[in-house]
Structures are given as structure tokens and as C-alpha cells.
Amino acid sequence: MEKLKRVRITSKGRKYEGVMLPSPKKEFLVLKLDSGYNIGIRKEGAKVEELGEVKVEVGGERKMEAKKGGRGDIAIIGTGGTVSSKVEYKTGAVFPSTTPEDLAKNIPGLDKVCTFHAREVFAILSEDMTPAHWSVAAAEIKKEIDAGAKGVVVLHGTDTMHYTSAAFSFMLQDSPVPIYLVGSQRSSDRPSTDARINMLNACFAAANGPMANVGICMHATSDDEECLIHLGTKARKMHTSRRDAFKSVNVPPLAKVDYRSSLIEPYMKYKERGGKLKFDNRVNENVAMVYTYPGIHPEFVDKLSSYDGIVIVGTGIGHVPTNPFGDKLAKRITPNLKALVDSGIPVAFASQCIFGRINMDMYAAGRMLQEAGVFGHLADWTPECAYAKMCWVMGHEKKMEKVKEEMMSNIAGEISERSEVL
Amino acid sequence: MKCGLEIHQRLDTGKLFCRCSSALADTERNPEYKLKRRLRASVGEMGELDIAARMEQEKEKEFHYDGFFESCCLVEADEEPPLDMDADALRIVLGIAQQLHMDVCDELHVMRKIVVDGSNTSGFQRTCLVATGGYLDTSKGKVRISTVAVEEESSGIVAEEAHIKHYRLDRLGIPLIELATEPDILDAEHCKETAEKIGLILRATGKVARGIGTIRQDVNVSTEKGARVEIKGAQDLRTIPLYVQNEVKRQEELLRLISEIKKRVGEKELKAKIIDLTGVFGKTDCALIKKGMEAGGHVLGIKLEGHEGLIGHELLPGRRYGTELSDYAKGAGVKGIIHSDEDFGKYKISGEEKDAVRKALGVKKGDAFAMVVAHKTTAERALHKVIERANMRRVPEETRKANQDGTSSFMRPLAGRARMYPETDLQTIEITDKLLGEAKAAAGGGLEEKEKKLRGILNPEMAGRMLKSRNLQLFEELVEKGAEPMLAAGTLEQTLVELRREGLELRNPREDLAALFDEYKKGLFVKAAIPEILRGMCGGKKVREAAKGMERITGAELKKLVKEKKDFGAIMREYRLRVDAGELKKAMEKE
């Protein structure tokens, strides 16, 4: 319940009556007229008369039978993001504020898909997530798995969802139950929100599917129909705004889901339910990820010496500026990278191409990178996955050779053996 | 009676919140892509779930959208946030607001008006209040203009099935100016005058779209003992008085009916005791029921206590109280209701069946009943709607659809402020004096100045006619391009009107007429040939092709003709379409 004031504002001979709302801009008063329209009136010269108080229930939507206190099969864990956000009056923008419990209540039909319980771990925007947050959230997921959840659904902002899903894939290895991250590209306060269908499909698959992987469940196309579950280590947000922003990179999606027709159609080999969770949520937060670009200064690379590990996101099939022909204008950064490696900092390579496998044998630049000690040859990981993996590996391993060995071995599907024709 | 108008006029600019063209795709064209969506109502800023929004949601429809590459982008698909408001559209609206003596808001807030009938992919219409408190002078005094807003046009509906609505995306997002008057309109004629004058002011800016469907008048009618009702979609100004008269009559009849109901049953609410009557119709001859049952439907019925004879009460010619109940039931997804005041012979429902229904429902003398045939849950919902409506012992506040015959049908409850939500994807717009100045210039000098200008180039009669014409904007464009004003006006207001009576219409009037006057100016043909040439052009010919055989006879050729024929009358009789009378006269004088 929020209390707002009903006012009459007189300004420049005009009279307005309505409910005063918090204004995003200092110079203006914002009034909700009885017609429902909001208008802004310049504060300067405006006379405000208070006419009484209005009590407003914000967000009091239809009440659904939520099993309060009880445990359902599916554990819904909130971390924030558009999927659980609504209007924020101070800035006028969308801000995470709905609790997962609210959200679950507001999704008609969720109770028909599964039994569930919900709680919130954080309420932050996904761009504010850090490896430390991955760690905390993974521990909460472990608690739910230990307590017998049949599946875990994590509400998450979409921007960095694929980093988190990669991190969970390493931290919560061999999970006996599925862990699906769900987001939305249209906030759940809109009639056209994609949150509802993403949630229903994720919960349906978490409760009924044979798979027990870490995945991301989002719209398959622009239509409000099926969702795709993408493997946690192979997913990437590929569009700023579309519902079907997430794509599987270099592998098919894990499965297609449609709760309406009870469809769960796997597209690749999946981990079956059961087995024992291998949990390790330690992370090293001092890892950098750096894009190379035309004209990158070699001294810029030198400045990375304070990091414990580095992911270089280079160009093409495995390149950075190396200037093998001694061009006058070109510069090379391989000596600087080599200096970092020689000082004991592991440097991994990922490609800006996103799609395709790295091959550092093919051209001179790749070979020079390998000579400098940069690894990543034949990996088909995404930059974000390589970064999350390095944060995790270096959480428990410091030795260069061991780090390199662990990075280059496939743990959670992040490096595929063959490049399928898709 | 109190009556106000709400006028929606499309603006002749690009789309309001994206940079797509507002030109509609060819109606024959196949869509380049399709989208399937579902919507649900959400809570407004003040925590209320709007009744109109909830009503649409109850229908649980799926929405299919046809998309076209040129006129729809990711914004229409609800896959990208809106871009800034179109600067031209904003200027025009600000300009019109100033012409109507309105107070422009200091800061504009774009709102989302929740509409979950699928006509907007987002589930809301973006709308923005621009100004308040203006007025318009009419022959019967001032009509106050309460608000001017700018908003997005909705998607056009293509087809509707039981659970799917089909829309086209090309219309979505075209800017509309919305003008609402206070209920200052005194009678039906005054209503027409007001609507016409607003239309004139809008067209005088030269920045509004032309053609069918580009202007819509909603009529707001309130009667003293009745309620406020909004009638949407009156296409023609001439029919507005009829809608107002009919709505007043409908409310009067409803009030009469309500007092009769109260006399019979008091304030007692009817109970929604729904009975399954499917068993009664096992061997029915009624095609409607048979078909419904074959499709897996049930026949459900309810008793309407004390309503005998009232369901059939005529509110307006062809519209009974039962039609109102039926309109509510349609909201649940059924095609209509069958009620006891109807002629059952028409449905081929036998006397035995009717008796069995009466028995099953416990209908006694003085009672009525209603039935629907549909899937069980749909049918139940529909009958609940019937009871809900029957229990309203007042004239309900409604949004109604204007029917062709001057009556109206229930669409949805009048939407309230609960469906307004701030558009969080857009920043607010600060209105500066500079912007207001630009807007004033962009919208032109208003009606008086326009009239003065027209009187300068046309005779008084034609100037008056042109000012009111829907062709005004086109006329000005043609004159701008060098057409003779009187000729252009005559062609638009007379020649084309006559051709239209013959069923002939130009396909691209803008381009066709510009080409016609251009060739005329170059001397390809004489004035008298224009109607004939236009006739050819209406058939799809280009101007040169249409003018074949009607080329002007002039100069040496004319001299030769004069020498041969010698008689003015004879030449004119034979070459009326090819010879300019003035030139011929001069040539004759020389001879």
C-alpha cells in the first residue's frame, strides 16, 4: 500500500487536478489526471494545493493459490532482471522489484504445470552480476537440490544470463536435476510479456523433462509458442531486444519445449536425471576479458599484468595483430602477450566471430599466439563461456600448466568434439 | 441529452514511434511474415486491473499478425522498443492545439493504454496527452475542446475465428491526433456541424491523411438518467445525428424496461443457475443446435425470472433487449443466444422441445429463458455474461460499435483510467517556446487564413466549397505545381464527382492529376477534352495514351482548318474537344 496525494495545481492560469506522482525530473511536477493520463507541469510558478490522500495498492493483481511455506517440486530462485521487474517512478524506467513469489502468483497456469516454491537471492540487474554472485547463487541452488527439488528455475536478467549459465555448468557439475535460467525480453508488467511462456515452459521441462543439464529457456522464435532450452555453456544472447535473442552456438539446442502440448523434444545428447552433484563454487574474481581491435596499442596489453588470468577475444579463427611482414604502420601485441604468460598469467583465446572453432595452426598469427603461450587451439567456446570457465578454474587452481590443462578439457559441453553441420 | 465528440484523424507523416512509412501495403499482397502471439492484461499504475482489459482477456484468444517488410519493422512486431516520437507528427499536433486555443502541457508523458484485444502487438496503445482546455466557435456557441492527444493507430483486423484473431501490422503505429470535446453539443445537427468544423481545421493544416478510414468520429452520449456511452466507428458525418438520436432512444427504452423489471422482480438479482439441456435436443431438427452438438458442444440454459416478453422488447428497430444480452454473451466467444421471446419455429425447435426446456429450467408463467450452444466452458461463461448484464438495473457505461443502420452494438465496458500505464521505454518530452513556435508555423495559419487564400485564387462559391472539401490538400498541391486554380478545383469538385457517379475512379489521383495538368499546361489538349481524358485515365491509361486522338489543333493546323471550313459553329461542333474556342475566334477574325 502506498499513499499518494490528490492535488490541484495552478500554473500560468491553467488548473489541473489529479494525483501527484514522483517525478523523474527535478524541474517538473508529475500529475496523474482522472483520465489516467500523466502530464508534467513546470515547478516554477506552479501553486500546489493539497486535496487529500489516495491509497494505492501497487501490484495487487489476482490472487492465486500459492502454497505458502510449503515446498513444491520446483524451486524458483530470483536474482532480478526484466523477468521480475516493473516501473520505477524515480527514473521512470523499468527496475527489478517484483519478488519471485509475486511473479509466480501472477503467472496464470503455473500451478497447473508444476508445484513450486519461490524465493529471492538477489534483486539486481544482470549487468551488475559478478563472479561472486554466481558463487552465492550456486550455493543456494545446491541447498535446493539437497532439499530434494526436482528441478531449479532461476530468474535472471538476460544480458549476462549466458555467463551465469556457463558458471553454473562448472560449479554444479553432474546435477541430478535440471537447472534452467529464465529471463524475459518484455517485462512481466506488459500484456505482451514473454516471461509467462518462458516460465511455464521452463517449469514444465524442469518438472517433467528427462534432461538434467544447466540450460537457458527462452522463446524459440518471435511467436508465443515453443521455447528452446540451450545448453548452459553454449548459449549466447544474440539480439538486443527480440524474444528469441538466445541462440545455441556451434551445437543444436538441448531441446524444444511446449507445455501446451506436453512436448519436450531433445535435439542432442543430454545428461539424464540422477547421480551425485559435484559442487565447487569457488571463483577467482581477478580475471579479465579483453577485445582486440585494429590499432590496439601494445602498451594496453601490458596494463593487464595485474590480473590473475586473461581471456583475449581476438579476431577470426585465432588471430591478434602480429605484423609478421614488418609493415610500418602495423603493430604487434604478441610479444606483450608473451610477457604476460611468462610472468605466470594464463591467457586464453576466444573469437569475436562467436560461431566456429578456433584453429591457431592455420595462419602465421595463430602460430605466433601459440608460441607466445596463448591457449585455445581447437576450442569452440564462446568468449563468455571461456571467461566464466577461467574464473571458475582459477578459483581452485593457480598453476599455469594445470589451469591450461583444465581449461582445454571439456567439462560441461563447452568444447565439442565435432563441428556439426547445423 | 449531452453529447460530445471524439475525433481521430491519421496524420500524413511517418509512423509515430518508428521510422517506417505510413503507406499501407497493397491489400492484395501476401504477407512477408507472420507472427503468433498471446496477451494478458496487467495491472495499471494505480494497481487496478481494468474491466475492459479483463473482458478481452476472458476470451483467451490467440493473435496472428501479417507483416510486410516495408511498412513494419521490429517495433510493430513488439520486438524492439519504440524510437523517439516522430517530430513532424508532434509539431502538427502542437500546431492544431494552438489553433484551438488550448493549454499545451509543459512536459509530455507517453502512456500505455492497455488494450488486450490483439489490435496492438504490445497489448497497449501508446498515447500522449498534449493539450487541454481549448474551444471551438460554432453557430450555437462555443464547444469546449477538453483534450488533444497524439496516439498510435491500431492493427487492422482481417478475420476472426473462434479462438484466433487475424490482424495486419502495416496500419499499426500510424500517428493519430485525437480530439475530444466536452459534452457541449446541443443536438444532432450541432453535432454534425462541430464534427465538420473540426475536420476542416484538421484538413486546413494540409498535414493529415486523406481517404477512407483516415478519420473516425466516436460519439460520446450521456443522458440525464442513463449513462455515458461511447459509440465508435461512425464512418460518415451525415450519420452522426442518427447515432445520437438512436442512442438517446435506446437509453430511454432501457430505462422504461428497467422500471418494468423492477416492478416485476424488485431489486432481487437473478441467479445464474445453469442447466445442461443437451439431452432435450437428442433428435432435434434445429440445424443450429445439431451442428453445435456435433462439434462437441452442449446446450446450456438459464431461467430469467419475471422477464417474459421483456427480452423481446424492441429498443430500436431491429434491436431488442435480447440483442444486448446476446452481445454480452458474444464476449465469451459464442455466436449468440436463443431466448424465449423469439419465434422458435424459425429455429425448427419443436413445441415438445420448448416444453422440455421450460420444465428443465423451472420456467413458470411470467419467466423467460435463454440458451446457448457451444463448448461447455464457453457456454457457461456466455450465460454468466447474460446474467451479469440482466442484473444491471441501470444503463451500463459502454463502448459500442456503430452499425451501418444507425444503431450500435455493445463492444466492451467503457474503459477506465486503470488501463493507463506510463510508457517506460520513452523519456518525457519537454515542450519549449521554440518548439511551440515551430509547430505554429508547421500547422499553417488556421481556417481563416486558409479561406482568405482560397478567395484570392477561386471565385467565392468555389472557395467556400474547396475549404470544406476533402480534396483541399490535393488541390493545394496541384496549384503549387502550377495547375490553374479554377480548373483544378472544377476537376476535383465536379468532373471527378461526375465520373465517380459512373463508377469511374482514378487509381492514383495525386500522380494522375499532376500529370494531367502538366500536359494541359504544355498545350497537349484543350480544357474541354479533360473529362474524356480522365475517363481514359480511370481505365488505367497514362495521360498521353488517354489523350490520343484528342490532341489540340492549334497554330498552322488550326489556320488550315479555318480556311477549309470557314464556319465557327461547324468547326466547334466537329472539333469541340480539340479546339480552343478563344484561339479559334481569333483565327477566324484574322481570316
Side-chain angles (χ1 to χ4, degrees):
Chain A
M1 201 70 101
E2 222 174 284
K3 278 179 191 167
L4 296 169
K5 282 189 179 112
R6 188 169 177 85
V7 296
R8 182 183 298 127
I9 300 178
T10 321
S11 155
K12 290 181 254 172
R14 306 165 300 180
K15 258 187 198 149
Y16 301 103
E17 227 179 273
V19 176
M20 184 108 94
L21 295 178
S23 172
K25 287 187 198 160
K26 280 201 305 259
E27 322 87 90
F28 291 94
L29 298 164
V30 176
L31 200 63
K32 178 172 275 300
L33 305 177
D34 292 338
S35 60
Y37 278 105
N38 293 6
I39 57 166
I41 302 154
R42 272 195 191 83
K43 255 188 199 164
E44 208 186 319
K47 205 182 102 204
V48 181
E49 244 178 292
E50 287 186 14
L51 303 174
E53 233 166 38
V54 191
K55 276 182 197 154
V56 175
E57 188 148 2
V58 178
E61 206 170 9
R62 62 163 80 182
K63 299 273 181 280
M64 199 180 78
E65 297 273 319
K67 293 177 188 73
K68 277 228 163 153
R71 290 186 56 86
D73 286 343
I74 302 302
I76 299 175
I77 291 181
T79 69
T82 302
V83 68
S84 49
S85 67
K86 60 201 296 189
V87 184
E88 207 277 321
Y89 294 113
K90 274 179 218 124
T91 57
V94 176
F95 195 78
S97 63
T98 314
T99 63
E101 198 141 20
D102 274 340
L103 176 89
K105 268 192 271 180
N106 289 340
I107 293 182
L110 189 61
D111 54 343
K112 289 192 188 109
V113 165
C114 66
T115 60
F116 63 89
H117 57 282
R119 65 196 175 91
E120 192 168 58
V121 182
F122 343 101
I124 60 171
L125 302 167
S126 82
E127 56 268 36
D128 293 333
M129 281 268 174
T130 65
H133 287 99
W134 305 338
S135 207
V136 173
E140 296 301 323
I141 295 170
K142 180 181 184 290
K143 275 186 209 161
E144 292 294 344
I145 296 171
D146 290 346
K150 277 193 181 163
V152 180
V153 170
V154 181
L155 309 181
H156 198 292
T158 52
D159 279 11
T160 68
M161 192 189 262
H162 48 300
Y163 288 80
T164 307
S165 68
F168 285 173
S169 305
F170 303 119
M171 292 174 172
L172 296 151
Q173 282 173 49
D174 299 335
S175 166
V177 300
I179 301 163
Y180 296 140
L181 287 87
V182 181
S184 83
Q185 291 279 79
R186 297 286 158 287
S187 56
S188 38
D189 57 9
R190 301 174 192 234
S192 65
T193 182
D194 53 335
R196 178 169 174 249
I197 284 160
N198 293 344
M199 270 294 275
L200 288 169
N201 278 323
C203 288
F204 176 73
N208 304 299
M211 308 88 72
N213 293 80
V214 175
I216 286 179
C217 182
M218 294 284 287
H219 267 52
T221 66
S222 189
D223 295 338
D224 283 333
E225 295 202 303
E226 297 99 1
C227 282
L228 289 176
I229 299 178
H230 304 276
L231 194 66
T233 48
K234 298 304 259 182
R236 196 172 194 275
K237 187 178 185 182
M238 298 298 281
H239 199 278
T240 57
S241 59
R242 282 182 65 124
R243 288 163 172 76
D244 56 355
F246 281 85
K247 302 287 175 208
S248 285
V249 176
N250 297 331
V251 293
L254 184 64
K256 182 159 88 179
V257 191
D258 189 350
Y259 74 95
R260 295 174 306 170
S261 56
S262 298
L263 171 89
I264 299 175
E265 190 184 351
Y267 289 132
M268 65 188 283
K269 203 169 159 257
Y270 54 85
K271 187 206 157 289
E272 285 179 22
R273 283 177 185 268
K276 201 168 173 298
L277 176 70
K278 236 169 90 190
F279 179 72
D280 179 357
N281 68 337
R282 287 171 292 168
V283 282
N284 184 325
E285 289 191 77
N286 195 34
V287 175
M289 176 160 71
V290 176
Y291 235 63
T292 67
Y293 46 87
I296 183 171
H297 295 181
E299 310 84 73
F300 174 59
V301 176
D302 296 339
K303 290 190 174 129
L304 301 172
S305 61
S306 63
Y307 289 94
D308 295 341
I310 297 160
V311 176
I312 286 288
V313 188
T315 53
I317 200 164
H319 309 144
V320 296
T322 52
N323 196 16
F325 313 121
D327 181 87
K328 269 188 218 156
L329 297 172
K331 284 175 181 145
R332 61 171 66 109
I333 65 165
T334 25
N336 313 69
L337 287 170
K338 186 173 187 305
L340 291 174
V341 174
D342 289 347
S343 73
I345 303 170
V347 179
F349 184 92
S351 174
Q352 293 170 19
C353 293
I354 307 302
F355 282 91
R357 191 180 296 277
I358 298 155
N359 191 318
M360 300 206 265
D361 282 348
M362 205 173 170
Y363 294 102
R367 293 180 187 200
M368 288 165 85
L369 269 173
Q370 290 192 72
E371 277 160 26
V374 175
F375 58 88
H377 179 56
L378 299 186
D380 67 340
W381 54 32
T382 61
E384 298 78 14
C385 177
Y387 170 72
K389 188 174 184 183
M390 198 177 238
C391 292
W392 176 75
V393 169
M394 297 196 73
H396 57 263
E397 190 55 71
K398 298 278 178 294
K399 283 195 199 97
M400 168 78 91
E401 276 317 303
K402 290 266 183 190
V403 170
K404 206 163 154 179
E405 195 187 311
E406 210 172 335
M407 282 295 287
M408 291 307 293
S409 56
N410 177 38
I411 294 172
E414 72 278 16
I415 302 173
S416 36
E417 273 183 7
R418 36 193 302 272
S419 302
E420 272 189 63
V421 178
L422 296 168
Chain B
M1 180 206 92
K2 278 179 167 180
C3 161
L5 274 174
E6 207 174 278
I7 291 187
H8 294 91
Q9 165 76 59
R10 272 187 223 159
L11 301 179
D12 192 17
T13 66
K15 289 200 178 174
L16 193 56
F17 291 112
C18 67
R19 300 296 88 91
C20 288
S21 147
S22 290
L24 299 179
D26 207 319
T27 47
E28 248 97 277
R29 189 154 135 198
N30 285 326
E32 271 103 30
Y33 56 93
K34 285 177 182 268
L35 295 175
K36 290 181 193 168
R37 293 284 170 74
R38 284 179 279 168
L39 293 173
R40 58 182 300 261
S42 53
V43 187
E45 199 178 8
M46 307 299 271
E48 308 145 82
L49 187 63
D50 183 73
I51 179 168
R54 196 166 53 204
M55 184 127 183
E56 279 301 326
Q57 191 188 347
E58 279 167 9
K59 292 194 213 164
E60 288 171 9
K61 295 248 172 185
E62 192 171 292
F63 306 110
H64 292 191
Y65 300 96
D66 289 348
F68 302 89
F69 290 143
E70 286 146 46
S71 48
C72 329
C73 64
L74 285 183
V75 174
E76 284 88 343
D78 189 43
E79 285 286 32
E80 188 177 284
L83 312 185
D84 290 345
M85 188 187 285
D86 184 86
D88 290 334
L90 177 60
R91 269 196 292 265
I92 295 164
V93 175
L94 286 172
I96 292 169
Q98 291 179 85
Q99 287 178 5
L100 292 167
H101 323 281
M102 304 194 72
D103 297 321
V104 175
C105 303
D106 293 339
E107 187 191 45
L108 307 186
H109 290 236
V110 179
M111 305 296 290
R112 301 171 174 172
K113 193 188 281 180
I114 303 294
V115 185
V116 287
D117 65 356
S119 58
N120 293 72
T121 43
S122 55
F124 48 76
Q125 177 192 29
R126 294 187 186 92
T127 174
C128 177
L129 181 65
V130 173
T132 57
Y135 65 87
L136 179 76
D137 287 314
T138 69
S139 66
K140 291 181 178 166
K142 276 193 169 76
V143 171
R144 290 169 296 159
I145 310 287
S146 33
T147 55
V148 162
V150 59
E151 56 190 29
E152 290 178 309
E153 175 71 286
S154 58
S155 313
I157 192 153
V158 180
E160 183 166 3
E161 296 167 41
H163 295 286
I164 305 170
K165 272 185 172 178
H166 299 264
Y167 289 98
R168 282 165 64 96
L169 283 181
D170 52 351
R171 207 179 77 185
L172 182 63
I174 295 177
L176 294 176
I177 179 171
E178 187 210 69
L179 267 128
T181 77
E182 293 283 335
D184 290 345
I185 295 168
L186 302 170
D187 53 51
E189 278 309 313
H190 192 209
C191 182
K192 187 180 160 206
E193 183 199 332
T194 307
E196 264 175 357
K197 185 125 194 224
I198 292 173
L200 282 185
I201 290 172
L202 295 176
R203 282 197 299 278
T205 63
K207 304 283 168 59
V208 301
R210 302 163 46 245
I212 293 163
T214 57
I215 187 160
R216 290 197 296 269
Q217 295 94 9
D218 298 343
V219 191
N220 286 318
V221 184
S222 343
T223 61
E224 205 183 329
K225 289 191 179 133
R228 192 165 85 86
V229 160
E230 184 180 294
I231 304 170
K232 272 190 158 350
Q235 283 290 348
D236 193 333
L237 282 183
R238 280 165 293 197
T239 58
I240 285 183
L242 187 61
Y243 287 112
V244 178
Q245 278 159 12
N246 280 340
E247 182 53 27
V248 173
K249 169 113 195 301
R250 191 187 70 92
Q251 294 199 13
E252 281 168 3
E253 287 299 327
L254 271 177
L255 287 168
R256 202 164 296 151
L257 194 76
I258 290 163
S259 75
E260 177 62 26
I261 293 171
K262 280 185 182 164
K263 223 182 278 169
R264 292 196 198 174
V265 297
E267 294 294 336
K268 201 170 75 184
E269 284 210 341
L270 300 180
K271 282 194 206 84
K273 199 179 164 204
I274 296 171
I275 308 282
D276 196 329
L277 304 166
T278 314
V280 173
F281 295 95
K283 287 178 186 158
T284 192
D285 289 328
C286 173
L288 182 88
I289 292 177
K290 217 172 174 174
K291 223 175 119 194
M293 281 166 46
E294 276 165 12
H298 287 240
V299 184
L300 301 189
I302 39 160
K303 178 169 82 172
L304 297 162
E305 206 187 320
H307 278 59
E308 191 179 32
L310 301 182
I311 315 292
H313 182 88
E314 204 172 67
L315 303 172
L316 289 173
R319 285 197 69 83
R320 290 151 209 285
Y321 180 50
T323 325
E324 301 285 318
L325 298 180
S326 178
D327 284 347
Y328 271 72
K330 282 176 188 165
V334 300
K335 291 228 164 71
I337 63 168
I338 302 171
H339 62 78
S340 50
D341 286 349
E342 287 182 282
D343 172 12
F344 275 32
K346 185 178 79 182
Y347 290 106
K348 292 206 172 142
I349 295 173
S350 69
E352 292 82 50
E353 284 167 337
K354 191 173 175 179
D355 289 343
V357 168
R358 292 176 64 94
K359 202 175 153 202
L361 294 174
V363 172
K364 297 194 182 73
K365 195 167 170 24
D367 295 340
F369 65 86
M371 302 189 291
V372 290
V373 49
H375 280 274
K376 205 168 178 186
T377 48
T378 310
E380 275 172 8
R381 263 207 307 262
L383 288 179
H384 276 290
K385 289 280 164 206
V386 170
I387 287 288
E388 188 187 305
R389 175 66 188 86
N391 278 328
M392 292 178 193
R393 303 285 157 75
R394 58 186 161 79
V395 179
E397 292 201 327
E398 293 170 336
T399 299
R400 301 178 65 88
K401 186 176 106 248
N403 298 327
Q404 290 287 338
D405 62 357
T407 65
S408 65
S409 308
F410 168 76
M411 272 173 89
R412 55 173 181 255
L414 201 62
R417 61 161 195 195
R419 65 170 172 165
M420 292 291 234
Y421 214 88
E423 171 50 280
T424 49
D425 293 340
L426 291 162
Q427 301 257 27
T428 56
I429 302 167
E430 191 178 335
I431 302 300
T432 58
D433 290 342
K434 183 171 166 262
L435 183 58
L436 286 174
E438 281 171 25
K440 210 169 191 172
L447 213 49
E448 283 99 63
E449 192 169 303
K450 184 75 55 175
E451 193 170 4
K452 218 169 108 189
K453 206 170 137 194
L454 288 175
R455 279 173 178 275
I457 52 174
L458 296 172
N459 66 37
E461 191 258 324
M462 191 52 101
R465 195 161 158 185
M466 207 65 234
L467 188 68
K468 288 188 179 177
S469 170
R470 285 179 184 267
N471 291 318
L472 175 61
Q473 201 170 322
L474 179 55
F475 167 76
E476 288 181 316
E477 274 175 34
L478 292 170
V479 171
E480 178 101 347
K481 282 183 188 149
E484 280 177 27
M486 272 309 286
L487 180 64
T491 306
L492 285 168
E493 294 302 300
Q494 286 154 354
T495 316
L496 285 179
V497 175
E498 280 155 23
L499 288 174
R500 210 166 291 142
R501 281 190 201 120
E502 295 173 30
L504 296 170
E505 193 93 45
L506 284 176
R507 290 179 196 179
N508 306 300
R510 223 179 206 121
E511 292 76 32
D512 290 344
L513 291 173
L516 178 84
F517 293 127
D518 191 43
E519 291 296 352
Y520 169 73
K521 216 172 147 191
K522 286 183 194 153
L524 183 65
F525 44 80
V526 299
K527 245 179 230 177
I530 285 179
E532 273 314 301
I533 293 172
L534 277 172
R535 190 165 278 136
M537 290 174 82
C538 288
K541 286 183 186 166
K542 294 270 171 216
V543 59
R544 283 175 172 273
E545 204 187 336
K548 256 194 194 124
M550 282 180 271
E551 290 90 350
R552 177 173 182 168
I553 299 171
T554 182
E557 207 184 341
L558 187 67
K559 265 185 207 157
K560 204 175 137 205
L561 197 64
V562 169
K563 262 184 196 149
E564 276 169 24
K565 303 250 171 179
K566 295 202 163 75
D567 177 39
F568 181 86
I571 293 175
M572 280 314 284
R573 265 195 300 282
E574 200 176 340
Y575 297 99
R576 187 183 60 85
L577 298 184
R578 301 189 60 187
V579 169
D580 181 80
E583 192 189 353
L584 178 61
K585 213 178 241 169
K586 271 187 200 153
M588 299 279 291
E589 278 160 13
K590 271 191 196 163
E591 261 312 291

